[in-house]
Amino acid sequence: MVRAAILPAVGSPLRIDEIDLPEPGPGRVRVRLAAAGVCHSDLSLTTGTMRVPVPAVLGHEGAGTVVSVGEGVTHVAPGDGVVLNWAPSCGACHHCRLGEVWLCATALTGVGAVYARTADGTDLHPGLNVAAFAEETVVAANCVLPAPEGIPLTEAALLGCAVLTGYGAVHHNARVREGESVAVFGVGGVGLAALQSARIAGAGPVVAVDVSAAKEELARAAGATEFVLASPTTAKEVRALTGGHGADVAIECVGRAETIRTAWDSTRRGGRTTVVGIGGKEQQVTFHALEIFHFARTLSGCVYGNCDPARDLPVLADHIRSGRLNLGTLVTDHITLDDIPAAFDAMLTGKGGRSLVLF
């Protein structure tokens, strides 16, 4: 029996309780969590913006130590440090064959499985595959990657989502080049990772936009050279800070129609607008045909930073070990499992960066 954060039903509050976690069967791995990041996607699961079978144990950004492995698992062994990969690719579907592993057709099939049970015998599903909001979890073997050497597991947890997504949005989706201007909308965990990644790419100026003035210090520590407090004049202010033309690249990390539209309006003619944030179906964004022709901007969605974790984790690890990427600056709160509901409330009000659950 281990403690976990359970979502009983969509719209219900999380419940911290003990669950009965089985030993790993063939092709499965049991992991003792060191840390798990609290991501906005977890909040989206509680509200139904993203849907998975419930009841479920949430949490998809984590790292820990292998406790035991099932038959056929050879790439990790008990005692190994691992990073959880919530969206494993099959390598065989149409998108994987195209090299677009972040769009793998089978990546989330595991969420429908029963992986554990409550104390009274109720079936539990593994949230976004890995159920990281628990002291221990059991996952498919392709959901674990060897943790990079020299990086504490409590920090490596952030590599499972926030850092891969923010880094990939800059380097893989928007393909930011040295000297280009970048505007990042939303200074949460992913936004902070995107700001650091823009700095690594040699971008400038780098403009951070957020609804909270308290985020300015965080943004500048991550690499922002300018900060704009969100308002009806945001696009005008971003254009003024980027030579009057608009940003070469705008990265939206919020998932709200208004913010997506503002990011688009802040992008120069011929520039690129990348949408990372996950919004609901009710968030309708509108454009008229003439502006699409006139501005010749590119608007693109971005799933998991267009990343291949197996390829990108070693690259990120090199940036971390060299000091170019500082994972510690993404985290504003170290919390316990019991504090996750309060962390959700903080996200709803736009407070802080990443909350990190320490086990």
Side-chain angles (χ1 to χ4, degrees):
M1 304 292 285
V2 300
R3 296 179 77 236
I6 301 169
L7 176 66
V10 173
S12 298
L14 289 184
R15 184 178 83 244
I16 311 301
D17 209 343
E18 288 193 332
I19 66 171
D20 186 5
L21 193 66
E23 287 304 310
R28 308 278 289 175
V29 179
R30 184 166 181 144
V31 177
R32 180 180 300 114
L33 273 296
V38 181
C39 179
H40 204 281
S41 296
D42 297 309
L43 179 59
S44 295
L45 293 175
T46 70
T47 62
T49 297
M50 296 172 64
R51 291 194 173 274
V52 294
V54 290
V57 174
L58 302 187
H60 63 280
E61 178 183 271
T65 303
V66 175
V67 176
S68 56
V69 301
E71 182 183 352
V73 178
T74 58
H75 72 295
V76 294
D80 288 351
V82 293
V83 175
L84 299 180
N85 176 16
W86 64 271
S89 56
C90 69
C93 72
H94 176 70
H95 289 290
C96 285
R97 290 198 303 271
L98 291 174
E100 299 170 346
V101 298
W102 54 92
L103 299 178
C104 177
T106 67
L108 293 179
T109 55
V111 303
V114 173
Y115 94 111
R117 289 178 172 84
T118 63
D120 66 5
T122 302
D123 291 344
L124 288 171
H125 301 282
L128 290 178
N129 278 325
V130 297
F133 288 167
E135 294 168 333
E136 296 186 12
T137 188
V138 174
V139 301
N142 60 357
C143 285
V144 295
L145 294 166
E149 292 184 8
I151 299 171
L153 289 175
T154 50
E155 293 189 2
L158 300 166
L159 297 173
C161 184
V163 178
L164 277 172
T165 301
Y167 173 85
V170 169
H171 289 271
H172 299 323
N173 187 287
R175 298 182 180 179
V176 174
R177 299 181 289 268
E178 184 176 0
E180 289 192 309
S181 57
V182 174
V184 176
F185 291 76
V187 185
V190 174
L192 288 168
L195 288 168
Q196 289 206 47
S197 300
R199 175 175 47 76
I200 290 170
V206 177
V207 183
V209 181
D210 200 273
V211 295
S212 171
K215 296 285 189 76
E216 180 171 1
E217 185 176 350
L218 285 173
R220 290 190 182 276
T225 59
E226 311 289 344
F227 182 84
V228 172
L229 188 62
S231 75
T233 63
T234 293
K236 182 177 180 180
E237 293 178 64
V238 172
R239 288 196 297 271
L241 292 168
T242 52
H245 307 292
D248 293 304
V249 171
I251 298 177
E252 199 273 356
C253 303
V254 180
R256 293 181 62 240
E258 180 182 358
T259 316
I260 295 170
R261 179 70 221 200
T262 302
W264 167 268
D265 290 338
S266 301
T267 306
R268 69 165 175 84
R269 288 187 75 186
R272 290 102 70 200
T273 306
T274 291
V275 178
V276 178
I278 301 172
K281 294 179 180 179
E282 77 283 357
Q283 296 289 327
Q284 298 290 314
V285 188
T286 60
F287 309 91
H288 61 72
L290 182 59
E291 69 177 304
I292 292 174
F293 162 79
H294 173 75
F295 288 111
R297 297 166 178 147
T298 300
L299 177 69
S300 62
C302 181
V303 176
Y304 207 3
N306 292 20
C307 276
D308 177 349
R311 174 198 65 196
D312 291 316
L313 279 183
V315 176
L316 289 170
D318 182 62
H319 285 310
I320 295 165
R321 288 191 289 261
S322 71
R324 292 186 294 269
L325 180 61
N326 185 343
L327 296 180
T329 61
L330 274 66
V331 180
T332 54
D333 298 280
H334 292 94
I335 64 175
T336 68
L337 201 60
D338 299 278
D339 299 322
I340 293 174
F344 281 175
D345 291 339
M347 278 194 291
L348 283 170
T349 56
K351 294 179 180 178
R354 208 47 146 205
S355 292
L356 190 65
V357 181
L358 299 180
F359 294 93

